[in-house]
Structure formats: structure tokens, C-alpha cells
């Protein structure tokens, strides 16, 4: 069992889902926590990991007061509720809050599956279909963003945290799909660059080329895709 007085995050550096709680903690100026890296490339999971998330056996897991909180968006909401501070990540208005949750869910239910198929699919025709789905999903997000600075308006918040970790994978997606994301969704790229200026994002996202090296290597090794 994790020390009950410690805040612990079970993490993997290239996981966009693990980047979310790190950004949220940084936005709340929470720096006194332990980050334990789990080796997702190994079959051997740590006993702490299996104890803290026996149901899904997935990261991230936030352990607070010895109790686990699982699923990245649930963790972000938990962080927002426990460490309220002066900068809420979710709006207080019920309708606006529902919309933030809707678009964060859209990222996970629509955008993520398309992005996954884009780098995992071996057949060219299927990859082209995945690319189309990826761009269409991103364009819907771009439409929701509109001319706002962030998805919540002037304030960086929940939907931004849900989506911005995927930016660290953009080089990977472009290499696998042989396209330029900015050509289709220029406003999303501008939004991502604004987010990158925030210290919370800057220190939580890995460099694109490191993610690309990892994923393209796994792609070749496990799926036989050059």
C-alpha cells in the first residue's frame, strides 16, 4: 500500500492520458508528489499498480491518502475538486460544465480511436480511412474552439487538458498518415502552440521526436509496419 501521507501518480512518459493529471497538478501548483513510472512495454506489472487498479489495469492512477483514483478525466476532475484554488479547471455554470465534459468525452470516444487506428493499421486503405476520421474529428474540435483562445474561452481548462497531450503525438500521426495536420486544422495548431507556452503544459509533454521514435519503433517491431 502506498504511504497514506503521500500523493503518488503511476505514470508512463509517452501516455497522453498520464500527461493530463500532470498538467492538472501543475495548474494547481501541486509539485509535492511522487511519480512512479510503470513499464507498459513489459508483461510484469508492479504489485502497487495491480493493487491500485485491479479492474482495468491501466494507467494513470492517482493515489491520494492511500486511495486510488483511476481514469485520467476522473483524476483531473478530482484534482479540480480537492485543490480548488483560484483557477478552476471546470466552469461553475452547470451547462458550461456539461459542455466541457461532452467535448472531453468526444476526445476519448471519437478522436482517440481514430488516432489509434492511424498508427496501428497496416493496410493502406484502412489507414486512409483512419486518417479521414482523424481529420474530421479534429475539425469538429476546431469548430468548437472557434476564435477562442482556449476551449473554455480566455481560461485554460478541462477540454484543453483533455486534448493537448495528443499534440506530443502529432509528428507520429503525420509520419504514419503521410499528411500535415496544420494544412487541415491550422487553428488547432495555433491553439496547441498557445497551450505550449503554459509552464504546466511545457513540463508535462515529452518532445515530439521522442514519442515518434518510440511509436514508430513499436509499430515496426509489433505490427511489421515500415
Amino acid at each position: 500500500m502506498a504511504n497514506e501521507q503521500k500523493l503518488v501518480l503511476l505514470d508512463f512518459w509517452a501516455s497522453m492520458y498520464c500527461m493530463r493529471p500532470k498538467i492538472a497538478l501543475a495548474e494547481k501548483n501541486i509539485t509535492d508528489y511522487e511519480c512512479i513510472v510503470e513499464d507498459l512495454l513489459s508483461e510484469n506489472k508492479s504489485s502497487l499498480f495491480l493493487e491500485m487498479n485491479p479492474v482495468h489495469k491501466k494507467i494513470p492512477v492517482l493515489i491520494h491518502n492511500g486511495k486510488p483514483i483511476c481514469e485520467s478525466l476522473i483524476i483531473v476532475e478530482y484534482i479540480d475538486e480537492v485543490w480548488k484554488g483560484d483557477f478552476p479547471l471546470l466552469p461553475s455554470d452547470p451547462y458550461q460544465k456539461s459542455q466541457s465534459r461532452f467535448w472531453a468525452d468526444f476526445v476519448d470516444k471519437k478522436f482517440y480511436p481514430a488516432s489509434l487506428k492511424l498508427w496501428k493499421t497496416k493496410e493502406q486503405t484502412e489507414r486512409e480511412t483512419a486518417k479521414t476520421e482523424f481529420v474530421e474529428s479534429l475539425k469538429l474540435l476546431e469548430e468548437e474552439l472557434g476564435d477562442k483562445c482556449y476551449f473554455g474561452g480566455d481560461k485554460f481548462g478541462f477540454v484543453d487538458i483533455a486534448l493537448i497531450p495528443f499534440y506530443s503525438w502529432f509528428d507520429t500521426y503525420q509520419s504514419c498518415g503521410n499528411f500535415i495536420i496544420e494544412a487541415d486544422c491550422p487553428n488547432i495548431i495555433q491553439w496547441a502552440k498557445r497551450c505550449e507556452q503554459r509552464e504546466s503544459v511545457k513540463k508535462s509533454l515529452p518532445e515530439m521526436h521522442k514519442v515518434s521514435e518510440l511509436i514508430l519503433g513499436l509499430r515496426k517491431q509489433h505490427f511489421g509496419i515500415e
Side-chain angles (χ1 to χ4, degrees), residues 100-124:
S100 293
R101 286 173 172 155
F102 173 86
W103 286 107
D105 187 67
F106 177 88
V107 171
D108 283 356
K109 300 285 179 60
K110 293 293 184 180
F111 178 69
Y112 171 69
S115 72
L116 190 65
K117 286 191 289 185
L118 190 56
W119 72 266
K120 275 192 170 184
T121 301
K122 190 170 186 177
E123 296 299 325
Q124 181 65 29

Side-chain angles (χ1 to χ4, degrees), residues 75-180:
I75 292 172
V76 172
E77 286 206 49
Y78 180 84
I79 290 168
D80 197 33
E81 290 180 11
V82 173
W83 293 280
K84 293 186 182 297
D86 297 325
F87 304 101
L89 302 176
L90 275 160
S92 58
D93 177 78
Y95 178 75
Q96 294 301 326
K97 185 180 292 185
S98 75
Q99 295 308 292
S100 293
R101 286 173 172 155
F102 173 86
W103 286 107
D105 187 67
F106 177 88
V107 171
D108 283 356
K109 300 285 179 60
K110 293 293 184 180
F111 178 69
Y112 171 69
S115 72
L116 190 65
K117 286 191 289 185
L118 190 56
W119 72 266
K120 275 192 170 184
T121 301
K122 190 170 186 177
E123 296 299 325
Q124 181 65 29
T125 52
E126 292 179 14
R127 196 154 61 245
E128 286 299 317
T129 300
K131 181 168 67 174
T132 299
E133 292 173 358
F134 176 93
V135 171
E136 286 176 351
S137 297
L138 204 55
K139 281 185 174 181
L140 283 172
L141 285 161
E142 187 175 60
E143 184 178 327
E144 170 60 21
L145 176 65
D147 59 1
K148 301 189 296 289
C149 187
Y150 301 112
F151 280 92
D154 293 333
K155 295 180 179 179
F156 180 83
F158 193 65
V159 182
D160 304 294
I161 292 174
L163 182 59
I164 192 57
F166 288 88
Y167 184 56
S168 63
W169 283 61
F170 273 20
D171 274 2
T172 303
Y173 301 144
Q174 291 178 144
S175 295
C176 296
N178 192 28
F179 70 120
I180 303 297

